[in-house]
């Protein structure tokens, strides 16, 4: 089991580094429109495989893994997301602001790399608040995928019959996708899970 897990982790790291490299290349060659193909592919995949883009292809998730590793080594704990940001409307307001900004910059032909600025804001926010703040409340793509991934049949599941009620999975989940049931067992909310 341990050998299989480490192969999967290695494979995931290779894929994440590949997509981070592609993102950086597109960003600094002013080919950001090409990254849209990756994003649209991610939405299409989410219909079947939940938020697979977020867990395997997203440049932000790759950066966050590095931040988490450093913080883990240094023993730094970040505070939870303030309740104000957890209001249902907040993530939709952020999505609308980003979409309007995108439309406005295209309409006015303003040369600005909006994706890069949103990424920088996400990285800075994640230096000070837990990672789920980005995944669930700021990331416009995460908000879109929280809808597109609802019909997905393939997603991570917890075997409730074998669940020991220890809560370890819930503590380490970067997207707060694991909920406690009345029975104290845990269940994955598939449209939040980063797969």
């Amino acid at each position: 089991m341990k050998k299989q897990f480490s192969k999967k982790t290695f494979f995931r790291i290779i894929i994440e580094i590949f997509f981070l490299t592609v993102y950086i290349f597109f960003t600094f060659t002013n080919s950001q429109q090409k990254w849209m193909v990756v994003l649209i592919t991610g939405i299409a995949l989410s219909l079947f495989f939940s938020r697979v883009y977020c867990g395997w292809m997203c440049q932000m998730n790759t950066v966050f893994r590095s931040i988490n590793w450093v913080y883990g080594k240094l023993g730094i704990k970040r505070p939870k997301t303030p309740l104000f940001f957890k209001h249902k409307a907040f993530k939709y307001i952020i999505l609308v602001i980003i979409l309007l900004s995108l439309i406005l910059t295209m309409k006015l032909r303003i040369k600005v790399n909006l994706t890069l600025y949103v990424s920088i804001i996400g990285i800075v926010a994640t230096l000070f608040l837990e990672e789920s703040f980005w995944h669930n409340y700021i990331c416009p793509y995460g908000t879109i995928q929280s809808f597109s991934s609802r019909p997905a049949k393939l997603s991570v599941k917890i075997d409730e019959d074998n669940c020991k009620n220890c809560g370890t999975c819930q503590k380490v989940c970067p997207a707060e996708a694991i909920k406690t049931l009345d029975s104290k067992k845990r269940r994955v909310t598939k449209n939040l899970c980063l797969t």
Side-chain angles (χ1 to χ4, degrees), residues 5 23 99 105:
F5 176 76
Y23 173 79
L99 289 176
T105 55

Side-chain angles (χ1 to χ4, degrees), residues 5-164:
F5 176 76
S6 60
K7 280 183 184 177
K8 181 183 176 185
T9 303
F10 177 75
F11 185 60
R12 176 178 246 163
I13 289 168
I14 296 299
I15 290 173
E16 287 177 341
I17 290 170
F18 170 76
F19 280 104
L20 177 61
T21 305
V22 170
Y23 173 79
I24 291 168
F25 176 76
F26 286 159
T27 298
F28 292 103
T29 58
N30 291 321
S31 307
Q32 202 58 31
Q33 306 88 335
K34 292 178 182 172
W35 186 251
M36 294 303 285
V37 174
V38 177
L39 296 177
I40 291 166
T41 302
I43 291 173
L45 288 172
S46 73
L47 295 168
F48 306 98
F49 304 107
S50 195
R51 286 172 62 172
V52 69
Y53 167 86
C54 297
W56 290 74
M57 300 157 66
C58 177
Q59 76 281 3
M60 298 299 288
N61 199 35
T62 307
V63 172
F64 294 159
R65 285 185 195 277
S66 303
I67 292 170
N68 292 341
W69 183 82
V70 171
Y71 277 26
K73 291 291 181 188
L74 298 174
I76 298 172
K77 296 224 182 250
R78 288 167 283 190
K80 296 269 183 201
T81 303
L83 285 176
F84 167 78
F85 296 118
K86 290 188 175 189
H87 190 281
K88 284 186 177 184
F90 182 76
K91 67 181 178 180
Y92 301 113
I93 291 168
I94 295 294
L95 176 62
V96 168
I97 289 170
I98 291 171
L99 289 176
L100 289 175
S101 301
L102 185 63
I103 292 165
L104 193 63
T105 55
M106 288 169 62
K107 201 93 167 147
L108 299 175
R109 297 178 192 261
I110 298 170
K111 294 280 185 187
V112 63
N113 190 329
L114 200 59
T115 309
L116 180 62
Y117 288 116
V118 171
S119 297
I120 291 168
I121 289 167
I123 291 167
V124 171
T126 305
L127 290 173
F128 300 101
L129 289 171
E130 64 183 351
E131 190 179 336
S132 65
F133 178 54
W134 167 262
H135 295 303
N136 296 338
Y137 307 105
I138 296 181
C139 178
Y141 199 64
T143 300
I144 292 167
Q145 282 207 15
S146 70
F147 285 104
S148 63
S149 63
R150 288 177 192 233
K153 298 290 183 215
L154 299 171
S155 63
V156 174
K157 291 180 177 70
I158 295 172
D159 182 351
E160 291 174 28
D161 293 333
N162 291 319
C163 178
K164 305 278 191 247

